């Protein structure tokens, strides 16, 4: 039953403002957040896209709800599981979920700050640092795939740009060390990763030769 109901709800939320208003009155956004925490990964892709669309169409109200502690915890839990899952890393799910998160953070600096201060940065860095320290499970591409590393770095950069205490952000997560090691270890054909790492370093006002 759920496999039919969830796509129907997603369709309703992306249809019109009047339909979204009815969903809002029925706590539809809260239902979407709950489903995001319990659904299978492929369904999560549709749910995240819908939340981003809803944020774009009804920005102030949805932003305020997404910045509440419970919603932030739900989003962090979803992405923490995603970044730790070798299965998700090998599937199309992870890049699509990262794309939706990037769009959401780009639309809302408040959500970006709430997620950063709430604890999203370490899970996003974990696939990067795992690849650097050799902790990644054998036979998985995980965050070690160039496209995923580049997307992860883009999201971290967006959170940094909106973070109210930039120096704290740098020191707390030791991101500079991760970036320098990425620049040292990336091979040919991985220019996108180097570019994103360099953008972050430039934001830190650090000059690094590629």
């Amino acid at each position: 039953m759920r496999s039919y109901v969830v796509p129907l709800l997603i369709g309703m939320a992306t249809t019109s403002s009047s339909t979204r208003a009815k969903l809002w009155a029925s706590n539809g956004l809260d239902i979407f957040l709950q489903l995001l925490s319990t659904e299978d990964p492929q369904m999560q892709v549709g749910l995240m896209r819908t939340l981003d669309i809803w944020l774009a169409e009804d920005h102030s109200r949805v932003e305020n709800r997404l910045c509440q502690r419970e919603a932030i915890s739900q989003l962090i839990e979803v992405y923490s599981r995603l970044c730790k899952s070798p299965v998700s890393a090998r599937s199309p799910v992870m890049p699509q979920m990262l794309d939706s998160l990037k769009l959401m953070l780009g639309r809302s600096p408040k959500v970006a700050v709430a997620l950063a201060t709430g604890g999203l940065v370490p899970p996003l860095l974990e696939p990067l640092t795992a690849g650097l320290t050799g902790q990644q499970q054998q036979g998985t591409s995980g965050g070690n795939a160039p496209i995923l590393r580049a997307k992860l770095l883009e999201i971290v950069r967006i959170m940094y740009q909106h973070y109210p205490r930039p120096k704290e952000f740098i020191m707390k997560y030791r991101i500079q060390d991760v970036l320098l090691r990425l620049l040292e270890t990336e091979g040919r054909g991985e220019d996108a990763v180097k570019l994103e790492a360099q953008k972050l370093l430039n934001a830190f006002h650090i000059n690094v030769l590629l």
Side-chain angles (χ1 to χ4, degrees):
M1 179 66 71
R2 182 174 289 184
S3 61
Y4 295 100
V5 173
V6 174
L8 180 62
L9 288 173
I10 290 174
M12 292 174 63
T14 56
T15 299
S16 66
S17 58
S18 60
T19 304
R20 284 189 293 274
K22 292 177 181 178
L23 283 173
W24 182 273
S26 302
N27 298 318
L29 190 68
D30 294 334
I31 293 172
F32 273 57
L33 287 167
Q34 292 171 7
L35 288 170
L36 189 64
S37 299
T38 59
E39 283 298 331
D40 63 81
Q42 193 57 54
M43 196 70 74
Q44 287 177 336
V45 172
L47 289 166
M48 272 301 295
R49 285 176 177 167
T50 303
L51 287 173
D52 176 58
I53 291 172
W54 207 338
L55 175 63
E57 297 295 332
D58 191 1
H59 188 272
S60 180
R61 188 160 58 170
V62 174
E63 180 182 63
N64 289 336
R65 178 65 187 91
L66 291 178
C67 286
Q68 292 179 11
R69 182 177 300 178
E70 182 181 0
I72 290 299
S73 296
Q74 288 170 318
L75 289 169
I76 290 174
E77 179 185 355
V78 168
Y79 279 92
S80 294
R81 290 202 311 263
L82 187 73
C83 289
K84 292 178 181 179
S85 171
V87 176
S88 295
R90 293 195 304 268
S91 75
V93 168
M94 187 166 182
Q96 293 178 65
M97 289 289 284
L98 293 177
D99 284 341
S100 293
L101 180 61
K102 177 188 170 184
L103 288 172
M104 183 178 289
L105 300 187
R107 296 187 201 283
S108 173
K110 289 183 180 180
V111 173
V113 171
L115 286 171
T117 56
L120 182 59
V121 177
L124 294 179
L125 291 178
E126 187 172 339
L128 298 170
T129 56
L132 291 172
T133 59
Q135 296 171 358
Q136 205 164 352
Q137 296 184 23
Q138 187 175 2
T140 67
S141 59
N144 217 25
I147 188 171
L148 296 183
R149 286 201 296 274
K151 290 178 183 294
L152 289 165
L153 288 170
E154 281 185 278
I155 292 170
V156 172
R157 177 166 54 84
I158 292 172
M159 289 194 291
Y160 168 75
Q161 288 172 339
H162 296 301
Y163 201 78
R165 299 174 297 279
K167 290 184 180 179
E168 176 186 301
F169 188 95
I170 298 170
M171 299 302 296
K172 183 176 182 179
Y173 303 115
R174 302 185 66 180
I175 298 176
Q176 180 183 342
D177 295 341
V178 176
L179 297 176
L180 291 172
R181 294 184 66 187
L182 276 173
L183 289 170
E184 291 172 358
T185 58
E186 291 302 299
R188 294 179 61 187
E190 299 181 349
D191 292 341
V193 180
K194 291 183 178 181
L195 178 61
E196 288 305 323
Q198 189 64 64
K199 283 180 181 179
L200 255 175
L201 285 170
N202 289 342
F204 297 165
H205 304 290
I206 297 170
N207 294 318
V208 176
L209 291 177
L210 292 175

